[in-house]
Amino acid sequence: MLPMYQAELVPTDFALRMRTPFTACLLNLVVLVVAKFAIRDWWGAVSLIFVVLMGMFVLVGAYRVNASSALFFCVMATISGIFDVISCVLYFQHSKYKLFDSKASSLALLAQVVFLTSPLALFMSAIVSYAIFTDCRDHNMELRPLLGGTPFDYGMGFEGFVQQPTYSSPPSRQQAVPTPFSGQGLRLDGTVIPPQTADAVATSTAQRATA
């Protein structure tokens, strides 16, 4: 699910257009960080700071949008949103004030707004970041066969693509099996033995070897 990307995905026109909505989502999260510090939700504010820092990596890099970091931001925002939903339920279960109670103080009303809007903002930013990643991934997978790659190596960018050389195995050489007692016979004085005589000598030698 979370492959390690060695190169950035080239952003599409849709991903570049979604950069502005994603920046707006990050600004909303920054406002929530300040509000969480105001209501003294220290752990929630610190965890949200890490989500914002991860979101900043989506806006930096070789391109205006880093689609590979958008996937990791989506995972972090979704997990933080789930924990914020749990925190919201626990807060209203243990709070003595109802939702937007007129008797509640301004700090209690601010806490209610923060606990309600925090998971919504996180899930919204996760949806935007995932839309950026999927569009860049699908576009890269469509163009990968044109570059000679496979549909599964979508983690590499177009500039980072290096076609691997293909090596062909050398042709196998068939060794000739030597035939015993074959060839042209020669006498000690260098004269050539006639074929009929050479065959007779070879036959007699073979019979002696088997005897």
Side-chain angles (χ1 to χ4, degrees), residues 172-188:
S172 59
R173 297 180 179 178
Q174 296 181 355
Q175 297 180 355
V177 181
T179 304
F181 307 108
S182 62
Q184 189 176 19
L186 297 176
R187 292 191 178 92
L188 295 179

Side-chain angles (χ1 to χ4, degrees), residues 34-203:
V34 178
K36 282 179 178 288
F37 277 116
I39 64 176
R40 299 177 184 179
D41 184 13
W42 313 115
W43 174 246
V46 171
S47 62
L48 198 57
I49 287 176
F50 287 106
V51 177
V52 174
L53 291 177
M54 188 64 206
M56 295 178 63
F57 285 105
V58 181
L59 303 177
V60 298
Y63 309 99
R64 296 181 59 194
V65 173
N66 192 330
S68 302
S69 299
L71 175 64
F72 296 100
F73 175 82
C74 176
V75 175
M76 290 186 62
T78 303
I79 295 175
S80 298
I82 293 174
F83 282 108
D84 279 3
V85 170
I86 297 174
S87 300
C88 180
V89 173
L90 293 177
Y91 174 79
F92 282 101
Q93 283 183 350
H94 297 85
S95 178
K96 62 180 180 179
Y97 300 108
K98 297 180 180 180
L99 183 62
F100 300 124
D101 193 350
S102 58
K103 298 180 181 180
S105 61
S106 58
L107 187 62
L109 293 176
L110 177 62
Q112 291 180 0
V113 172
V114 169
F115 280 109
L116 287 174
T117 57
S118 180
L120 296 177
L122 285 170
F123 289 140
M124 182 62 65
S125 61
I127 292 173
V128 174
S129 62
Y130 188 73
I132 293 174
F133 168 75
T134 52
D135 188 71
C136 296
R137 180 198 60 187
D138 296 340
H139 182 70
N140 194 11
M141 291 178 66
E142 290 176 359
L143 295 183
R144 179 60 60 190
L146 300 178
L147 299 177
T150 60
F152 301 99
D153 56 357
Y154 55 83
M156 297 182 63
F158 293 144
E159 284 75 10
F161 173 73
V162 178
Q163 186 174 3
Q164 298 293 334
T166 57
Y167 300 95
S168 59
S169 58
S172 59
R173 297 180 179 178
Q174 296 181 355
Q175 297 180 355
V177 181
T179 304
F181 307 108
S182 62
Q184 189 176 19
L186 297 176
R187 292 191 178 92
L188 295 179
D189 56 358
T191 58
V192 179
I193 302 176
Q196 294 81 5
T197 308
D199 294 340
V201 173
T203 304

